[in-house]
Amino acid sequence: MSSSKICMNGLCGAKTTTQWKRGWAMKAGGFATLCYSCGNVYDQVNYCERFHLNEPGWRECKFCEKPIHCGCVVSKYLHECLDLGGISCIKCIIARGTQAPKPTQSHPNDLPNGFIPFSATWHPTIGNRVNGGAAIDKGRLTQLTESIEKHQPTPSTFSLGHQFKQDKTRLPSELSIGIPSNKDIKTLFSNSSSLFDNGRTELGFSSFYESKPEPSLTYSLGIPLATTKSSLDPDSCGPVEPEKVPSFKQCQRSRISFPKLSKSGLSIRSQSNKGIASDNRVARPPAEGRSRNQLLPRYWPKITDQELLQISGDLKSNCTITPLFEKVLSASDAGRIGRLVLPKACAEAYFPAINQSEGLPIRIQDIKGGEWTFQFRFWPNNNSRMYVLEGVTPCIQNMQLQAGDTVIFSRLDPGEKLVIGCRKAAVPTDTQVIFLQHNSLFTKSMGHEAMANGDQKTLIQEKKKSRNIGLKNKRLLMHNKDALELKVTWEEAHELLRPSPSPACKATISMIENYEIEEYDEPPVFGKKTLFTVHASGPQEQWGQCDNCFKWRKLPPDVLLPPKWTCSDNVSDPERASCSAPHEICTKELESIFKLGKDFKKRKLAEGKVVEEQEPSGLDALATAAVFGEFGESSASATTRHPRHRPGCTCIVCIQPPSGKGKHKPNCFCNVCLTVKRRFKTLMLRKKKREAEKLLVVVESGGIAINDLNGEGGESLGKGGKQLDLNCDPIKEEDITMVDAIKIGTQLEWHSALVPCSTPEGTSEIEGHPDPPVVGQPSMAPPTHTPIDESIS
DNA sequence: ATACTGCATGAAACT
DNA sequence: GTTTCATGCAGTATC
């Protein structure tokens, strides 16, 4: 359909509109006409068919002096108020019609002349119509109003615009009333794509899918919130076919001149049914604005009526507040950088249009009445824009917000002043997700995928959907203090893993880079937690607690306890294989041990920042543990490594010096560093000795000249002899040349020069070790193997 | 060394 | 495949 007529919507500006779309069927015959540009709806005589004004045209809201169209729901200055047959001025939000909250002061233009609220009608073409209904007189209107006040059932609304997008979530009963089927609508609107681009179509039809009372969000701050549970007389629903007759509830329509219920709202309630996010927030489509229908539901304001009233009360102003959108603060939003990323659609819909990247300063009021000035600007981004508010830190801090909390932007009318509000995140949100994710991971690692039951998955999905902290905030999640705590717990959990007690469960031992790897066909089980004490000069001890008498029994360090363990299982110490046996050491000493263990854990937590930076270097933690063992009288902590490698263990895995951040200093005298130095020195001396002997044999037999050795054997050291290839096994004599030995000796001297070798007394003996040396710093190649438990985690 | 700035990147969401 | 947006990062400014 095309014509050259001018759009009647004075704000459309589409004076040259040449294309008109066919809208829905008119009860008078034919089809409504839609303005291609603004989506405004006209019938064939160019005026809105919705309210059937006696005299089409514009009138003025005498309250706010804004022009009011004939009642066309797409009029910029006329709020949708279809649900109960009323209209409201979008500027002053004072509604008139059957369901308007009664203003404390009468609107001068109350029930304008000629205004007749619509009611549902039946149209032979598209079935029940819930808009553009029959004309009724004022007497009938009064009657309806009384009926509404009498019944007050639970209204709900649904808008067609949403229906198209959110078809999947509609309740089965949703279209049981006089609403065209999707097919009908799609047919009718097959050429009306722009209709959904400007957010107007949603005003055209209403439906019902919520059973919960949804109060109107039409507020005037000077007006007490009226209870808007309401109804219409079923008669007003107009003639409909019996099988299509809407229920009483369906027939009435809540008067929403504001963001209405949405799919999201429903979704949230579904969540609440599952015990998550159990608030009664309902996401509402945003208020009028440019491209408002493009706003993602997650940005729809989920502000409760009480909160709105609270804000209204806080502002102590006789104004109307309109929630526009909200956003969950990301880590970067709430961070010190002071930049709040605005959803593009929201920024373009509700903030001033800006052409320059620098943007412009924008004043936003908080709910306490304080004024903040932010820089509203954008950055070019992939042929698009990224809108930010700069300088929000003071405001965020003032409101004591952090990542995960929500800021809500609203508009204060008259004056179109922006207001920023907030909502704190629910407490369990983050940890819940982390726990579940960890739980899922853990389950998986144990080979128990089946254990990740549907509830958990659902829970995770729900949380993901809710996006309180989105997936893009993984880092935030893991840097959370709770997460750190959890991480430690996770490591501890690893420690408790035991091979399945099943007799059929036998270990398959394979060698990977000279390390024994035990593999089991069956998933591990949790063992009993024990405590280890490490003395600098003595052997490490393990302590296990009896499940019966709760006494602590000393155990050999390599014993792994089953989940249930009692004194009678203490085969290693027959004297204390009974609960009646006394404690091995006095209670005070035990307390001391446990306190040290706790202190160690506390310290670990306190060093969370360091842990963050160093993660996932569990070896560093081991080194720390080793230091702890050396300098403390004794230490007790749960090992965080493979069960075989306890604190104090000096095997090649555990003694690897730290690398990267958190390196030990050259003059560090910790157990790890001293052991490494000692072993390296011993090894090199032994090599020197062997090579000298070999050379002697060669020289004596008139063999190879020394210079010739440079060509082959020297390669592994590099031309400058500065690089040492420790991937070769230095024990293999055939790989070592005299030059190698000399150069290695030089390396050792150089290393010694860096690290004053002040070997403690009693540790100066030459020590051999079957493992190849792995030295981290400063010029050594990193170890090539992956520690066992790191590969697990 | 630290803070600020403007853009780039890539995962996730969306179409 | 495209868009959005959280965050990284390099260059620059400031202390």
Side-chain angles (χ1 to χ4, degrees), chain A residues 12 50 255 262 295 349 389 439 441-442 503 514 568 653:
Chain A
C12 170
R50 300 294 181 85
R255 93 163 290 299
S262 70
L295 303 190
L389 277 183
N439 204 10
L441 175 67
F442 185 52
N514 292 335
S568 57
V653 176

Side-chain angles (χ1 to χ4, degrees), chain A residues 103 155 329 380 400 512 587 594 626 664 670 709 726 745 776:
Chain A
L329 290 179
Q400 298 181 330
I512 299 177
T587 314
F594 299 149
H664 288 203
C670 75
L709 295 170
L726 289 180

Side-chain angles (χ1 to χ4, degrees), chain A residues 534-579:
Chain A
V534 185
H535 290 269
S537 56
Q540 62 178 355
E541 297 167 345
Q542 186 179 194
W543 296 83
Q545 190 178 27
C546 172
D547 284 331
N548 278 344
C549 65
F550 305 110
K551 286 174 184 156
W552 288 86
R553 303 298 187 192
K554 191 190 288 184
L555 303 164
D558 55 342
V559 165
L560 303 177
L561 297 188
K564 277 274 178 185
W565 185 86
T566 60
C567 292
S568 57
D569 299 323
N570 190 10
V571 291
S572 61
D573 188 359
E575 286 184 15
R576 290 182 173 78
S578 164
C579 292

Side-chain angles (χ1 to χ4, degrees), chain A residues 507-520 644 788:
Chain A
T508 305
I509 299 176
S510 53
M511 297 291 289
I512 299 177
E513 295 186 16
N514 292 335
Y515 299 105
E516 277 187 13
I517 308 291
E518 291 177 3
E519 291 178 306
Y520 295 87
R644 288 183 176 177
I788 296 166

Side-chain angles (χ1 to χ4, degrees), chain A residues 414-464:
Chain A
E416 297 191 347
K417 187 175 279 185
L418 283 167
V419 178
I420 185 171
C422 65
R423 182 171 65 244
K424 303 276 185 164
V427 174
T429 307
D430 301 348
T431 46
Q432 216 167 12
V433 176
I434 295 167
F435 172 76
L436 289 171
Q437 286 173 343
H438 274 270
N439 204 10
S440 173
L441 175 67
F442 185 52
T443 307
K444 208 170 180 178
S445 76
M446 293 179 71
H448 278 193
E449 283 91 341
M451 282 173 63
N453 59 46
D455 285 349
Q456 282 183 9
K457 285 178 181 173
T458 309
L459 222 49
I460 292 171
Q461 284 165 1
E462 296 279 2
K463 296 310 291 183
K464 281 180 179 174

Side-chain angles (χ1 to χ4, degrees), chain A residues 261-272:
Chain A
L261 290 179
S262 70
K263 171 188 87 170
S264 301
L266 184 64
S267 164
I268 286 167
R269 288 184 185 171
S270 300
Q271 285 175 17
S272 71

Side-chain angles (χ1 to χ4, degrees), chain A residues 436-746:
Chain A
L436 289 171
Q437 286 173 343
H438 274 270
N439 204 10
S440 173
L441 175 67
F442 185 52
T443 307
K444 208 170 180 178
S445 76
M446 293 179 71
H448 278 193
E449 283 91 341
M451 282 173 63
N453 59 46
D455 285 349
Q456 282 183 9
K457 285 178 181 173
T458 309
L459 222 49
I460 292 171
Q461 284 165 1
E462 296 279 2
K463 296 310 291 183
K464 281 180 179 174
K465 279 182 194 169
S466 72
R467 246 185 111 101
N468 273 341
I469 294 187
L471 288 175
K472 290 180 179 179
N473 289 349
K474 276 181 283 194
R475 279 168 281 197
L476 167 69
L477 293 177
M478 294 315 297
H479 291 178
N480 186 297
K481 186 187 168 190
D482 294 336
L484 177 62
E485 176 101 39
L486 234 156
K487 199 162 93 181
V488 174
T489 307
W490 168 241
E491 289 173 346
E492 289 172 354
H494 259 296
E495 174 205 353
L496 298 177
L497 290 181
R498 304 281 185 270
S500 167
S502 164
C505 180
K506 291 181 180 174
T508 305
I509 299 176
S510 53
M511 297 291 289
I512 299 177
E513 295 186 16
N514 292 335
Y515 299 105
E516 277 187 13
I517 308 291
E518 291 177 3
E519 291 178 306
Y520 295 87
D521 290 332
E522 294 190 19
V525 297
F526 277 115
K528 187 173 183 62
K529 188 170 182 175
T530 57
L531 290 175
F532 283 85
T533 59
V534 185
H535 290 269
S537 56
Q540 62 178 355
E541 297 167 345
Q542 186 179 194
W543 296 83
Q545 190 178 27
C546 172
D547 284 331
N548 278 344
C549 65
F550 305 110
K551 286 174 184 156
W552 288 86
R553 303 298 187 192
K554 191 190 288 184
L555 303 164
D558 55 342
V559 165
L560 303 177
L561 297 188
K564 277 274 178 185
W565 185 86
T566 60
C567 292
S568 57
D569 299 323
N570 190 10
V571 291
S572 61
D573 188 359
E575 286 184 15
R576 290 182 173 78
S578 164
C579 292
S580 57
H583 275 298
E584 212 159 333
I585 54 178
C586 70
T587 314
K588 211 170 183 180
E589 202 172 342
L590 267 177
E591 282 175 1
S592 168
I593 288 172
F594 299 149
K595 185 173 182 299
L596 276 167
K598 282 181 182 176
D599 288 347
F600 181 76
K601 193 175 174 183
K602 271 185 190 173
R603 188 169 145 177
K604 241 177 141 182
L605 283 172
E607 289 168 354
K609 200 173 178 183
V610 179
V611 173
E612 270 181 72
E613 290 172 355
Q614 296 181 356
E615 67 180 347
S617 175
L619 292 174
D620 291 349
L622 268 182
T624 308
V627 172
F628 216 65
E630 174 158 346
F631 294 115
E633 283 295 314
S634 67
S635 73
S637 78
T639 173
T640 59
R641 316 309 301 169
H642 185 278
R644 288 183 176 177
H645 306 296
R646 308 293 187 189
C649 172
T650 54
C651 80
I652 192 65
V653 176
C654 295
I655 66 160
Q656 287 179 79
S659 58
K661 289 180 181 177
K663 285 178 183 175
H664 288 203
K665 291 178 180 176
N667 58 351
C668 175
F669 298 120
C670 75
N671 269 348
V672 173
C673 293
L674 289 176
T675 306
V676 169
K677 288 170 197 167
R678 190 171 62 246
R679 286 185 183 170
F680 190 71
K681 191 175 180 180
T682 304
L683 183 69
M684 292 305 119
L685 285 173
R686 186 178 293 171
K687 282 179 194 167
K688 271 187 188 176
K689 187 183 172 186
R690 287 179 183 171
E691 288 308 314
E693 287 172 0
K694 189 177 176 181
L695 185 67
L696 186 64
V697 172
V698 171
V699 170
E700 281 176 356
S701 61
I704 311 164
I706 291 177
N707 283 347
D708 291 339
L709 295 170
N710 265 334
E712 298 173 10
E715 281 186 11
S716 66
L717 289 169
K719 287 185 178 178
K722 294 277 176 77
Q723 292 178 359
L724 177 63
D725 183 3
L726 289 180
N727 286 327
C728 70
D729 187 350
I731 301 297
K732 292 181 182 174
E733 295 178 4
E734 58 272 20
D735 291 340
I736 302 290
T737 66
M738 182 62 185
V739 173
D740 292 339
I742 293 169
K743 287 185 175 177
I744 289 171
T746 309

Side-chain angles (χ1 to χ4, degrees), chain A residues 220-368:
Chain A
S220 172
L221 299 189
I223 302 170
L225 177 65
T227 304
T228 53
K229 295 175 182 176
S230 55
S231 72
L232 268 181
D233 188 319
D235 293 342
S236 68
C237 292
V240 292
E241 288 180 356
E243 66 274 17
K244 294 179 181 177
V245 171
S247 67
F248 178 83
K249 185 179 78 180
Q250 288 167 331
C251 223
Q252 65 80 37
R253 316 176 72 185
S254 65
R255 93 163 290 299
I256 300 286
S257 58
F258 214 91
K260 293 191 293 187
L261 290 179
S262 70
K263 171 188 87 170
S264 301
L266 184 64
S267 164
I268 286 167
R269 288 184 185 171
S270 300
Q271 285 175 17
S272 71
N273 290 339
K274 291 177 183 174
I276 303 248
S278 58
D279 57 19
N280 285 323
R281 301 186 182 285
V282 179
R284 307 165 197 282
E288 197 78 40
R290 298 189 299 276
S291 66
R292 67 173 197 167
N293 63 324
Q294 294 169 3
L295 303 190
L296 294 172
R298 67 168 177 264
Y299 300 124
W300 292 358
K302 291 179 271 293
I303 190 167
T304 65
D305 305 332
Q306 288 78 12
E307 285 171 339
L308 205 53
L309 281 177
Q310 177 67 42
I311 294 171
S312 305
D314 289 343
L315 288 171
K316 291 179 180 139
S317 157
N318 191 20
C319 301
T320 305
I321 188 162
T322 309
L324 301 174
F325 68 94
E326 68 176 41
K327 191 199 172 194
V328 176
L329 290 179
S330 70
S332 50
D333 290 337
R336 288 191 308 168
I337 201 165
R339 296 193 292 209
L340 171 60
V341 175
L342 291 171
K344 183 168 173 262
C346 301
E348 291 181 343
Y350 302 119
F351 283 67
I354 48 177
N355 295 321
Q356 301 297 321
S357 174
E358 292 74 25
L360 46 86
I362 189 169
R363 303 187 76 169
I364 299 184
Q365 188 176 336
D366 66 25
I367 56 172
K368 291 174 183 173

